[in-house]
Amino acid sequence: MKRLVIAAAILASAHGWAGAGSADEISLTQHTLKAADGSAVPVEIATPAGKGPFPPVLFIHAKRGYEGDERAHVRELAAQGFLVVAPDWQSGRFIERWPSAHNPETELDVEAGLDYLKSLPNACKQPVGVVGLSRGPYYAIRLAAKRGPELAAIVSYYGHMQNPNAPEPDQLFRIAPEVTQITTPILFLIGDADYELRRMNSGRAFYALWERGVPVEWQEYPMARRAFDFRPDQTPEEKIAARHARERAKNWLMKWMQLTPDMRCS
């Protein structure tokens, strides 16, 4: 296991964000797991400063891959006080960036990340929070349909609420069947300048969840595009939206993970 120590204060300055404990150091470690089918699953673990146990969060990356921007997001979550495990569901299976199709076998990689997170001795023994980007929230709802009691809440950044392999009519007019089954609270974070199909798809999921009484909230950001939180060409409005989204996500996880104001498990 390779260990890197990162000063969260430097990260906060680099990414325009500051949170509780940002002057302390967080640690980032790498490990390799095995999925249920034997496939290798690279993971990164971000650990807050101080003494645990810490509230556990599973981070699920988008189909663009797990890279520097994703790593920065994971570090920000750790700086907020979360113990984060981020499984890389692409590189261990030699999947190229931006795959259009969904490979169901990669769901085993995400599930291996969940099992590993729950096994960590410095993780609170409680349902975990999930933060997913784009394709990541589709993995999250699949996981919630299968292992719902183990998940406390989901944060969906511009999430895909339909099976990417579904035919075009399903993409346009329907949501994934898992949306009609799960009871995990979901926070939707999306820009109003995101692709219309993605906004429609997520919007239908929002209404379907609310109709069933599932705790759900919708946060739409004016003048914000896809990937507003890490775009290299971020506008001033998108930079503010990113900071707001990080706080919304933190508060949502704190609420449903039943954390204390100082980010401790109750």
Side-chain angles (χ1 to χ4, degrees):
M1 183 178 288
K2 181 181 178 183
R3 177 170 292 268
L4 302 172
V5 179
I6 301 97
I10 298 175
L11 288 169
S13 174
H15 298 285
W17 176 91
S22 60
D24 297 326
E25 289 182 340
I26 61 172
S27 68
L28 185 71
T29 60
Q30 291 80 35
H31 192 54
T32 301
L33 311 176
K34 279 200 173 182
D37 63 353
S39 177
V41 186
V43 297
E44 289 198 343
I45 308 99
T47 306
K51 183 179 180 182
F54 304 105
V57 164
L58 180 70
F59 181 90
I60 311 176
H61 68 81
K63 67 179 183 178
R64 71 188 292 271
Y66 187 84
E67 298 181 335
D69 292 313
E70 289 72 29
R71 184 171 290 113
H73 194 161
V74 165
R75 291 168 175 167
E76 288 178 355
L77 286 165
Q80 288 178 328
F82 297 105
L83 173 64
V84 188
V85 166
D88 183 343
W89 53 264
Q90 282 180 291
S91 66
R93 295 181 185 272
F94 303 100
I95 297 174
E96 294 291 336
R97 297 180 65 204
W98 307 105
S100 56
H102 174 67
N103 181 349
E105 293 178 350
T106 59
E107 296 176 27
L108 300 176
D109 302 1
V110 173
E111 197 165 0
L114 173 63
D115 290 332
Y116 180 70
L117 174 60
K118 294 180 61 180
S119 75
L120 292 175
N122 58 346
C124 296
K125 305 309 175 186
Q126 65 165 86
V128 309
V130 181
V131 175
L133 280 66
S134 194
R135 183 72 61 88
Y138 177 70
Y139 284 88
I141 61 172
R142 290 280 291 170
L143 192 59
K146 185 177 181 179
R147 298 174 61 170
E150 299 171 61
L151 307 185
I154 295 169
V155 175
S156 169
Y157 279 83
Y158 31 86
H160 198 163
M161 292 291 123
Q162 180 57 278
N163 185 344
N165 300 337
E168 183 177 349
D170 288 344
Q171 301 293 339
L172 288 171
F173 304 114
R174 302 181 184 92
I175 51 178
E178 290 78 14
V179 176
T180 66
Q181 302 165 9
I182 64 177
T183 58
T184 307
I186 300 183
L187 170 64
F188 289 91
L189 302 169
I190 194 166
D192 73 352
D194 206 322
Y195 299 125
E196 183 179 21
L197 178 58
R198 183 60 59 90
R199 287 184 283 110
M200 290 170 56
N201 190 266
S202 292
R204 288 194 177 99
F206 169 85
Y207 287 119
L209 291 163
W210 187 85
E211 280 281 283
R212 292 196 299 110
V214 178
V216 60
E217 291 187 10
W218 178 273
Q219 174 71 60
E220 187 167 307
Y221 291 103
M223 298 175 282
R225 299 164 291 174
R226 170 69 57 81
F228 65 86
D229 56 321
F230 65 86
R231 296 179 67 97
D233 62 341
Q234 267 186 330
T235 64
E237 292 81 11
E238 287 170 332
K239 291 178 181 179
I240 297 171
R243 297 201 304 271
H244 189 275
R246 295 296 191 262
E247 285 303 306
R248 282 296 316 266
K250 175 185 176 182
N251 293 336
W252 184 256
L253 294 173
M254 287 183 67
K255 176 179 179 179
W256 295 107
M257 295 176 74
Q258 300 181 7
L259 305 181
T260 64
D262 60 349
M263 295 296 293
R264 292 296 176 178
C265 303
S266 59

